[in-house]
Every structure is written in structure tokens, then in C-alpha cells.
Amino acid sequence: MHLTHQRGPLHDLPDTPEAYDAVLADAVEQALARLTPEGNLEHPDCVDDIGDTSLGITSLLALAWQRGKNPRLPEAVHRSLVFHLRERVYVEDNPGYPNLKVRNSRLPYARYVLESGAHPIGDWPSTVWALLQAVNLLDAAEGLVADEQRTELVELARGYWRWLTEATFFNPQEAGNQAIGCVVGGLMLAPHLPPEEGKSVRSRAISLYVDKIRAHRVSDRGAALPPEHGGAYDNNYGPISLSFLAQAHRISGEEIFAEDGDALARYIDARLTNGGYDNGGPRYSEQHSAFESVLGLRYFGARIGADLGRYRGDSRWARHAVKQDGGIDGHFAWMLVWQIQDTTPWHRTPSTRPSRHQLRAGTVSVAFDDKMTPSLVEAAGTYHLPAVVGRQHGFGPVTDGFLLCRPMGEVRVRDVRTAGLAAKLVTKPVVGRDHVLRHLRSLYVTDGTTLWVTVAVEHLDGTPYLLAGLPYATDDGDRVRRTAEAVGVTSAGPLRLTHPLSKGVDHFDARTETTQEQAAFALASDPRGYGNPDEGWRHLVTSTALEADPAPGAPEGLTVFAVRYGADGDGPFAPVFEATPDGLRVRTEAFTALIGEVAGDAHGEPELTLLD
């Protein structure tokens, strides 16, 4: 089975003016055919995320008119704007909405579900989206929208802004993408207001960003990130936040948005595999966005010099939101508007900047978590997640059922590159059940096709093995297919692929059709869509796992594991290990590495020498 949402790198989508004109032309034809006598442009199957969608289609029609002056469009814009102003503006409090600071304010807002009291929790983001649709239409209004309608639209946008920032608590869902979107709405509204009021709204928008978003950023892998539904990053909403930061910087010129966007972009580049697959997040685990991410990935990819467009998006939403029948939906239409207006080209070559939390070369990548344990290993087009044993997650030695990968002290990293190799040495102190402090040294070396992993630790008693990953998915053209096979993985010691002996949702067997996301949500505390799948996944007891026994010939006093990924059929794997006065020498068929003594250099930093 294929994973649902990973359907191809976003930078493969044509983004020439001609390509975007074709997208708009299709949207125009769909809209004109759908337009009801009342002026409604909503998709007939739309139930939720609906309050701003007709206005979103209207904004696309306005942009198309700007670019082509199609004579059929002014009347459609007029009628659909009348519909929104008459039928989709609410001023009565939605029954059951708990986040109001001012009751009966009579300020306008947009509803997530039109039925009164049906699902009021989504009204705050829906009003943000309606504000963004409105300001996009205002930007295109000259020569298209009559003065009286334009005045009414300005008043509506002003009311949306006040409802979001005065009548309600700001960012009630703790969703960074929604909050930054609100800030963007204020920044875009400001030029349409009288000068003094516009200056005040702009100042308020920036102060909200500084005090309510930036001050509450969450740290992960050395980066400060806008919090997303209670977590640091979500692989659906994180790139959407990046797009909002791009738009904020484009329209305001404020350096704070560029700085924070650069930081988020570098974080995404570090966690993202070479093939563009990623997983994890506090709201969605494998539900990648598509057109919503293009602006941010393209804009900041160019700024930091990284190929962020390798990010796999969902091509069903390649240009705009669609429903089951493929018909256009106005949800998030402003992202299509902005990416058409922005002409930044894709940066298509990998960053040459060393990254602490990633090793990447060619078709091989290793992404590391906050503790410098691999969170994703990619080689030969196969993606390995951290495996689980006895409720412990990670890559590392297991002895007496205890996984040695969680640091008890400082984690140190050394990156080395030669003409043909890239390597990362990670050293960390770890403590086992016996309370003995051991120094764990993990060496990752790649030539861009094959990954060699060598793990050395002071002698382990019993029958230790290396937990070497959970084979989960593999590339299949532009799609990603589930797998339970460790293709192309060899070990210097005996290697086996094991599966959970117990049944149940907390025992993940890669041979079943259950996805990582489904299992994660099943174990989360709250319902799907509201629970934290990252937290749920951490409740796994066991999983499918690659287990590698110690390599033969390790120096006395050391247990050494050696695993090679992505070299199926490339000959025997028989590394040689030698203790020298300068450290542990590792010789493989492709390189020789010298891992310095446990104490490292004069400052305790790990030493690594690498020879092709």
C-alpha cells in the first residue's frame, strides 16, 4: 500500500507565469459554472472550513481579472462579494464558543460550520482565513470593485481584525500557523485604512507576533520554533507557518520575520530526508500539505541556499484545495494568490552548510533528534524509523532489555568530509540498568549511496544487540510505499528482522497495513485530529525491528556493532577493528576511520580522522 499524502516533491510543480495562468483559468471556469443565482461559490459538498471559501474563490477571480482582464469576471466578483457580505458575515455570538473575552460585541466573524453552535472551536482560524481572503480582494479591487462595495469590504476586514484581537483570546488553539496568519492579515489590512489607524494596526500586528508567538517559541533540535498545537513542529502546519513568515516578510520588510523564517527553514532542511519524506507532529503525523507550503519553502529555501522543495507534498492539493470530486474549494486560496505574486525561484541544490542534526549526501540521509539519536535513516530509497523495545525508542545497543541511547550528560558531535565521503561522529555518555556510566560512540559514514554505521561502547555483558531501525517505507516512483523488508541492509554480526509477538495497537507490526499515523493517533490521549500523535507513538511497547549482533574481532573491552545500509549485492561486509594508541581504527571496503580516544582532544571534543 502507498502512504496517502507523500506524492511528489513540491519543486516538481511547474511555477512559470504560464503555468499559473492555466491554474487560474481552470479555477475561473469552475467558478463561473458553479456560481449560483445568489452569488455563492462554495463547493456543494463543503460542510466545515466553509465560512471563508466563497470569498476565497472571489479573490482568485479578482487575481485572474488583474492578469487577463476577462470581461466575464467583474459581474461574478460583484455577485459573489454581495453573497459573502449578505450571507456569510456573522455578528451574533456562536452558541458554545468558549474563547470570547467580550460578549455580544457585534463584531463580524466567519464560521467553521454554518450551523449555529455546531462546531464553534474552528471559528477563530476561519475568521483569520476570511480576513486574508478579504485583504487579497482589497489588494485587487481597484477598477474591479465599486467604491461602495469596497468601503463595506474594508469595514468587514477591520471588524474581523478587531474580533480576532479584541473580542476573543488570541490564538486559542495554540497553533502557530493560525496565529502568524492573523498577524499577516493585520499587516495586509493596514495599508487599506486611514494612515494613523493603519499605523496602529501594523504596530499591533508586530507586537502580537513578538509577545504572543515569538516569546512562546518551543525548542527542538537547537531551533526556536513557533508552537504548533502544543508541539514544536508539525509536518503539515510547520511548512504552512513558514509560508506565513514569508508573506509577513514580503509585505512588511520586518527583519524579525526573515530571521525566524530562516531558523525554521534550516530546521526543516535538517529534519527532512533527501527523498523529502518526513513524519511526526502534534496534530498530524504523515499528512503533508502541498500548495500551502510552496511559498515558504521556495522563499526561504532561496534565502538559506537549501533545496527545501524536495519536500513531498500531496499532489491532490498541488495548486489549491479540492474536494473528493477534484473540484476547487476556496479554503486557503490566499496561499495560491501569494505564490503567484512571489517570483522567487526554487533553490534546487543541497545546502553545503554543516548541520548538527543531519548527515546527508547523494541519496543517503540521517536525521537526528534533539538527543542526537537518529529519527529517520534513509538509504537506497528506504526509510527506517526508530525501533521500539520494552517501551524504549531509538537506535542503539540493547543489553538486558535496556536501550542505550539516552544521554546522561553532554552530547558531542564531529563532522568530517573528504572528497568522496561525509561522516558524523556522535559521542554521548549513557547509563544502563547497572548504573555504570559508559561512553557511546556512533560513527555514520556515507559516500552518497551507502551508509555505514559503527557503534562502539565499553564491554556489555550478556547477549547485547544493536537496535538498528524499523523499516517502514520505500520510494516507489513519486509515491512512498509501506514496507516491512530491510532491503540492502547487512551487518558484520548476525542480523535479523523481528516482529512483535504480542497483538494490540501498542505493538507495531510493519507487516500490517496500519500506518505510523494511525497507530500514533490510536495511542494518543485525545480524538484523531486533536490528539498528539507524537505523544501517542511514544506509548508503543514494541515494534518491528532490525537487530544486529556484535561484530567479530572487536578490541578487548569494547563491544562494536557495524551495519551497512543500501548496498545490497555490493559484496561482503567484513570491517576490521583495531585498538591503537590514538583510538579505535575502523577499516571497511570503502574507507578507514580513526575514532579518537574516549576523552577526545584537550577540550574533550571527539576526534575523527577519515580516509577514502
Side-chain angles (χ1 to χ4, degrees):
M1 58 174 282
H2 287 108
L3 296 178
T4 304
H5 300 279
Q6 290 77 30
R7 292 172 178 261
L10 290 178
H11 62 202
D12 286 354
L13 295 170
D15 58 356
T16 62
E18 294 77 16
Y20 280 130
D21 282 337
V23 172
L24 283 175
D26 176 60
V28 164
E29 294 307 315
Q30 288 193 52
L32 293 178
R34 178 186 301 170
L35 186 66
T36 68
E38 298 78 22
N40 189 351
L41 287 170
E42 293 161 2
H43 191 285
D45 293 339
C46 193
V47 174
D48 53 21
D49 265 325
I50 190 174
D52 67 298
T53 59
S54 182
L55 191 60
I57 300 292
T58 305
S59 73
L60 292 178
L61 297 181
L63 179 63
W65 182 82
Q66 269 194 329
R67 292 167 71 88
K69 297 299 188 288
N70 184 330
R72 299 180 296 167
L73 296 182
E75 175 62 19
V77 168
H78 171 76
R79 287 171 54 194
S80 59
L81 181 52
V82 167
F83 169 80
H84 182 83
L85 293 171
R86 184 181 65 243
E87 302 291 341
R88 293 296 178 259
V89 177
Y90 296 85
V91 295
E92 300 287 347
D93 292 352
N94 200 349
Y97 189 66
N99 295 312
L100 293 175
K101 294 195 299 182
V102 179
R103 293 288 182 187
N104 302 314
S105 69
R106 303 295 296 174
L107 291 170
Y109 66 95
R111 285 189 174 176
Y112 178 76
V113 175
L114 300 181
E115 182 184 351
S116 182
H119 193 82
I121 192 67
D123 289 355
W124 201 87
S126 289
T127 304
V128 174
W129 309 156
L131 172 61
L132 294 171
Q133 316 285 24
V135 292
N136 274 338
L137 185 53
L138 285 171
D139 284 349
E142 186 174 352
L144 178 63
V145 177
D147 289 346
E148 183 178 343
Q149 264 194 325
R150 185 190 178 282
T151 298
E152 193 173 355
L153 186 60
V154 169
E155 188 60 29
L156 175 64
R158 178 192 279 118
Y160 283 153
W161 171 254
R162 291 189 59 202
W163 188 86
L164 290 164
T165 60
E166 297 175 21
T168 70
F169 291 98
F170 184 80
N171 190 21
Q173 294 186 28
E174 297 183 353
N177 75 99
Q178 298 172 8
I180 304 171
C182 181
V183 167
V184 171
L187 294 172
M188 294 184 70
L189 171 64
H192 296 287
L193 301 174
E196 283 303 311
E197 184 184 2
K199 183 178 178 181
S200 174
V201 167
R202 176 188 170 97
S203 175
R204 173 70 168 147
I206 293 173
S207 67
L208 282 170
Y209 179 75
V210 172
D211 298 335
K212 297 292 188 178
I213 303 171
R214 197 171 201 260
H216 298 279
R217 288 180 298 173
V218 179
S219 178
D220 186 39
R221 308 184 197 193
L225 309 171
E228 202 57 69
H229 287 282
Y233 174 84
D234 185 290
N235 64 14
N236 180 40
Y237 290 134
I240 294 175
S241 284
L242 192 66
S243 287
F244 281 129
L245 288 169
Q247 180 68 359
H249 184 244
R250 287 181 66 237
I251 61 177
S252 73
E254 293 288 341
E255 192 61 24
I256 190 172
F257 300 119
E259 292 174 0
D260 292 355
D262 288 349
L264 177 55
R266 290 192 180 100
Y267 171 86
I268 292 174
D269 188 37
R271 71 173 288 142
L272 195 62
T273 56
N274 179 76
Y277 171 73
D278 185 20
N279 78 302
R283 180 69 182 272
Y284 295 110
S285 200
E286 292 181 318
Q287 295 196 28
H288 288 46
S289 51
F291 80 99
E292 315 98 311
S293 304
V294 167
L295 174 65
L297 295 171
R298 194 171 65 191
Y299 188 84
F300 283 106
R303 277 185 57 90
I304 69 170
D307 56 335
L308 299 184
R310 71 188 189 274
Y311 180 97
R312 285 183 188 266
D314 192 332
S315 59
R316 296 169 300 177
W317 281 39
R319 301 300 193 180
H320 47 67
V322 297
K323 290 300 184 184
Q324 288 290 105
D325 63 359
I328 188 171
D329 180 15
H331 187 49
F332 270 50
W334 22 268
M335 281 296 192
L336 176 58
V337 172
W338 299 343
Q339 66 174 271
I340 291 175
Q341 292 171 338
D342 179 61
T343 57
T344 303
W346 283 112
H347 184 95
R348 295 182 177 274
T349 56
S351 171
T352 57
R353 175 179 175 269
S355 172
R356 176 181 174 90
H357 293 93
Q358 188 188 66
L359 174 68
R360 180 185 173 206
T363 58
V364 170
S365 62
V366 184
F368 296 86
D369 66 16
D370 215 28
K371 305 299 185 184
M372 289 306 297
T373 298
S375 60
L376 263 175
V377 171
E378 172 196 24
T382 296
Y383 304 98
H384 298 80
L385 304 177
V388 186
V389 58
R391 303 182 187 275
Q392 302 164 95
H393 298 229
F395 288 75
V398 177
T399 178
D400 189 27
F402 192 85
L403 174 60
L404 295 169
C405 71
R406 295 171 298 280
M408 182 64 73
E410 190 67 22
V411 180
R412 299 175 185 263
V413 178
R414 175 63 60 90
D415 283 279
V416 173
R417 287 185 178 262
T418 68
L421 299 170
K424 187 183 294 285
L425 174 63
V426 177
T427 69
K428 60 176 79 169
V430 294
V431 176
R433 293 193 194 278
D434 56 8
H435 296 267
V436 174
L437 185 69
R438 293 180 170 87
H439 207 80
L440 184 68
R441 292 176 286 173
S442 302
L443 173 64
Y444 307 85
V445 181
T446 181
D447 61 0
T449 301
T450 302
L451 172 69
W452 293 267
V453 178
T454 304
V455 178
V457 64
E458 288 89 344
H459 181 68
L460 300 174
D461 295 327
T463 55
Y465 63 89
L466 182 75
L467 200 62
L470 154 61
Y472 177 70
T474 188
D475 289 338
D476 186 8
D478 280 345
R479 299 296 300 276
V480 178
R481 176 173 48 81
R482 279 292 308 283
T483 189
E485 299 178 10
V487 177
V489 183
T490 52
S491 171
L495 180 71
R496 57 193 168 271
L497 181 64
T498 65
H499 303 284
L501 298 177
S502 301
K503 303 294 183 182
V505 69
D506 52 354
H507 301 275
F508 188 81
D509 191 329
R511 296 171 298 183
T512 69
E513 292 191 353
T514 303
T515 65
Q516 184 271 342
E517 181 182 73
Q518 290 168 336
F521 269 119
L523 291 166
S525 301
D526 296 307
R528 180 180 176 86
Y530 300 97
N532 184 337
D534 272 2
E535 183 182 78
W537 184 254
R538 286 193 289 270
H539 292 314
L540 277 186
V541 176
T542 57
S543 75
T544 291
L546 272 172
E547 299 177 356
D549 287 344
E556 185 176 355
L558 281 181
T559 299
V560 179
F561 306 91
V563 179
R564 184 179 66 182
Y565 300 80
D568 193 30
D570 280 2
F573 180 48
V576 176
F577 311 100
E578 179 185 1
T580 75
D582 296 321
L584 175 65
R585 180 177 289 117
V586 180
R587 292 203 304 270
T588 73
E589 72 281 10
F591 65 88
T592 297
L594 181 63
I595 303 173
E597 290 293 333
V598 169
D601 63 16
H603 302 286
E605 294 298 327
E607 295 180 305
L608 175 64
T609 303
L610 189 65
L611 300 174
D612 296 76

